[in-house]
């Protein structure tokens, strides 16, 4: 069975030399062009967990081994992404040519493309075929030609709230690359933590004491992470969340000006005051800070946050967002921001990340409706609190309209399906995972199953195709206890997001669940825990 995710349209290949290609080894990775030497090393590293003892080292060209051959050629172009924002290997903010051709014959696998990146996308399909076949399985002979629908296909993780080690981030990058995602968005700062070293601001990342492990990335580590990701054609996008979510920044840099708050708000609700970037000293401090982030970042994008600036007037918030965008652009980077930034005005070059509107929040209106939502009751929600929440988020209902009317671009990350911190539905959780699944996920979200996540359609929004920047899943970390929690929340749902982002449509559930069932093997081979939803007929 062809279990590749994202789905690639394939046709049977001539049965020359046999009926199928055995997955049994040994295997060797061969670069047919000197320009693919480093890529061959990367592919070999991705294959290694799936071929223990059966993958030959570089330089061993034993003719008895099955070859996985990487080829650059000048074949006809397949298709270009239908979005205009991408991340190219040269560091530009334009789409790359990721189209590829794959051939599985009885004597081996051939990965062809016009670009190195395209060859890599073909190779990740080959890795999936080998991994999901199992040690004694067979690969069906086939030919496939494929290209992505969306140029930006991302995953956001949140080390600000729960720190992830450098090695854990590398494992996430490998997982993203295997599913043809090409952006890793790092939520590096929040009220709970600041996770990137900036030499000009040592107070943000003080040295650990008392034998505690360090919980930030040094300059050298951040650079090495970007290099590791680039070899897998994944671009790192750092997020410095401002003007709200700035509690840790306020602790480390006293004296930053507070944004003027709406009348009476301080007396009713506690909050961390957002920054006021119209204050000259505060703007100068933030400008120096963001300049260091931009200098350390290889890719073309820096995310400025701009979400949930609770405690700032509309005028103050708009002024701060305007300043943040200007600072990042002056440093030679393109700013990305959450959808609230649309209220500060939009230009055609702006990228806005859509994550919420009031209907998407799925909140009850009455006491009776609230009583039927045990997750909200357990989280302490009352009808009065929900009413206030809806009022605060009411402007989100028109944020996307603002972007479209002004000619900006929308990055799709709807909370309803692409926020992977949503709890799993208990009715689909196997008994042995009930305790683990019970503490995972944001408590206010309605629990859902894997099929629900896989039903998401990126084309279901009233957004012109040319205004869609791409697709990005998010995984915020309020409820994490460690890396295994991260992977259980990601898997298996990340796979369907990757399919929708690459193919531009949701998979057909009946056949998708059969493909997905074989990916438990792949995750197990990589040592990644996953939610073994009873909706899927998992294959051992």
């Amino acid at each position: 069975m062809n279990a590749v995710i994202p789905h690639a349209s394939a046709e049977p290949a001539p049965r020359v030399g046999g009926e199928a290609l055995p997955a049994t080894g040994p295997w060797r990775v061969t670069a047919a062009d000197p320009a693919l030497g480093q890529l061959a090393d990367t592919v070999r590293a991705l294959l290694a967990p799936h071929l223990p003892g059966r993958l030959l080292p570089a330089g061993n060209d034993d003719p008895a081994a099955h070859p996985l051959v990487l080829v650059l050629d000048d074949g006809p172009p397949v298709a270009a992404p239908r979005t205009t924002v991408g991340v190219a290997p040269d560091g530009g903010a334009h789409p790359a040519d990721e189209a590829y051709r794959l051939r599985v014959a009885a004597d081996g696998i051939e990965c062809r493309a016009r670009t190195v990146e395209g060859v890599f996308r073909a190779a990740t399909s080959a890795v999936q075929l080998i991994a999901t076949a199992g040690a004694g399985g067979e690969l069906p002979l086939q030919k496939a030609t494929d290209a992505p629908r969306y140029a930006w296909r991302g995953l956001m993780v949140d080390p600000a709230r729960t720190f992830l080690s450098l090695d854990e981030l590398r494992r996430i990058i490998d997982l993203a690359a295997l599913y043809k995602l090409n952006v890793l968005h790092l939520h590096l700062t929040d009220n709970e933590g600041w996770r990137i070293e900036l030499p000009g601001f040592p107070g943000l990342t003080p040295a650990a004491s008392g034998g505690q492990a360090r919980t930030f990335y040094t300059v050298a580590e951040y650079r090495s992470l970007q290099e590791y990701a680039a070899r897998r054609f994944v671009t790192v996008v750092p997020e410095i969340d401002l003007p709200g979510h700035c509690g840790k920044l306020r602790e480390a840099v006293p004296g930053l000006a507070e944004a003027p708050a709406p009348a009476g708000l301080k007396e009713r609700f506690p909050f961390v005051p957002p920054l006021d970037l119209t204050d000259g000293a505060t703007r100068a401090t933030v400008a120096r800070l963001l300049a260091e982030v931009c200098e350390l970042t290889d890719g073309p994008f820096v995310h400025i946050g701009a979400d949930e600036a609770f405690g700032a007037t509309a005028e103050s918030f708009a002024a701060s967002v305007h300043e943040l965008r200007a600072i990042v652009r002056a440093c030679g980077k393109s700013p990305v921001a959450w959808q609230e930034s649309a209220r500060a005005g939009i230009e055609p070059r702006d990228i806005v990340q859509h994550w919420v509107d009031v209907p998407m929040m799925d909140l009850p209106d009455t006491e009776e409706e609230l009583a039927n939502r045990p997750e909200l009751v357990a989280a302490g929600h009352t009808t009065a609190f929900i009413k206030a929440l809806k009022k605060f988020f009411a402007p989100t209902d028109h944020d996307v309209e603002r972007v479209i009317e002004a000619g900006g671009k929308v990055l799709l990350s709807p909370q309803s399906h692409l926020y992977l911190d949503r709890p799993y539905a208990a009715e689909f959780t196997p008994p042995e995972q009930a305790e683990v699944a019970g503490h995972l996920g944001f408590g206010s979200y309605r629990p859902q199953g894997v099929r629900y996540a896989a039903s998401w359609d990126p084309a279901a929004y009233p957004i012109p195709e040319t205004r869609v920047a791409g697709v990005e899943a998010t995984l915020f970390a309020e409820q994490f206890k460690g890396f295994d929690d991260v992977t259980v929340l990601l898997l298996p749902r990340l796979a369907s997001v990757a399919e929708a982002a690459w193919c531009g449509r949701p998979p057909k559930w009946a056949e998708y669940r059969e493909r997905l069932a074989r990916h438990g093997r792949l995750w197990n081979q990589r040592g990644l825990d996953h939610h073994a939803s009873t909706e899927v007929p998992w294959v051992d």
Side-chain angles (χ1 to χ4, degrees), residues 95-234:
D97 182 353
E98 301 177 77
Y100 72 84
R101 300 183 299 285
L102 178 74
R103 183 175 71 91
V104 180
D107 59 350
I109 301 176
E110 191 174 76
C111 303
R112 287 182 174 270
R114 295 161 59 90
T115 66
V116 178
E117 187 164 355
V119 175
F120 179 70
R121 302 300 177 210
T124 61
S125 292
V127 172
Q128 286 192 28
L129 285 170
I130 294 168
T132 59
E138 294 183 328
L139 280 59
L141 306 189
Q142 59 189 285
K143 295 188 297 182
T145 301
D146 205 9
R149 171 68 176 267
Y150 295 112
W152 181 307
R153 305 178 306 279
L155 168 64
M156 189 222 78
V157 295
D158 179 14
R161 292 187 176 94
T162 298
F163 186 68
L164 296 167
S165 71
L166 200 65
D167 179 64
E168 289 166 345
L169 287 182
R170 290 191 188 106
R171 295 176 72 186
I172 289 172
I173 289 168
D174 285 346
L175 179 68
L178 282 170
Y179 289 99
K180 298 182 176 63
L181 300 178
N182 62 354
V183 172
L184 179 67
H185 169 179
L186 295 177
H187 186 74
L188 290 170
T189 73
D190 215 297
N191 294 325
E192 296 83 353
W194 187 284
R195 306 303 183 191
I196 183 170
E197 178 187 34
L198 301 180
F201 295 84
L204 287 169
T205 50
S209 60
Q212 294 181 332
R214 177 167 45 78
T215 56
F216 63 88
Y217 310 114
T218 66
V219 168
E221 287 173 336
Y222 182 60
R223 290 196 185 280
S224 73
L225 183 73
Q226 292 178 94
E227 292 168 2
Y228 185 91
R231 289 195 294 273
R232 288 147 181 81
F233 298 93
V234 173

Side-chain angles (χ1 to χ4, degrees), residues 428-447:
F428 302 126
T429 299
E432 63 273 16
Q433 287 191 304
E435 183 177 354
V436 172
H439 79 261
L440 289 179
F442 191 63
S444 298
Y445 294 161
R446 187 194 295 270

Side-chain angles (χ1 to χ4, degrees), residues 148-150 152-153 181 456 458 471 496-504:
R149 171 68 176 267
Y150 295 112
W152 181 307
R153 305 178 306 279
L181 300 178
W456 181 68
V471 170
S496 66
V497 178
E499 175 133 344
W502 181 272
C503 300

Side-chain angles (χ1 to χ4, degrees), residues 477-530:
E478 287 91 342
Q479 305 296 319
F480 289 2
K481 292 183 178 178
F483 182 68
D484 289 345
D485 284 357
V486 174
T487 63
V488 168
L489 283 171
L490 285 177
L491 302 171
R493 295 180 292 193
L494 184 65
S496 66
V497 178
E499 175 133 344
W502 181 272
C503 300
R505 61 183 182 277
K508 295 179 180 178
W509 175 249
E511 71 84 24
Y512 173 71
R513 68 194 288 265
E514 297 296 329
R515 280 187 286 137
L516 185 62
R518 294 176 176 265
H519 282 252
R521 284 175 173 168
L522 184 151
W523 305 327
N524 290 337
Q525 291 161 8
R526 304 193 74 83
L528 302 174
D529 284 0
H530 67 279

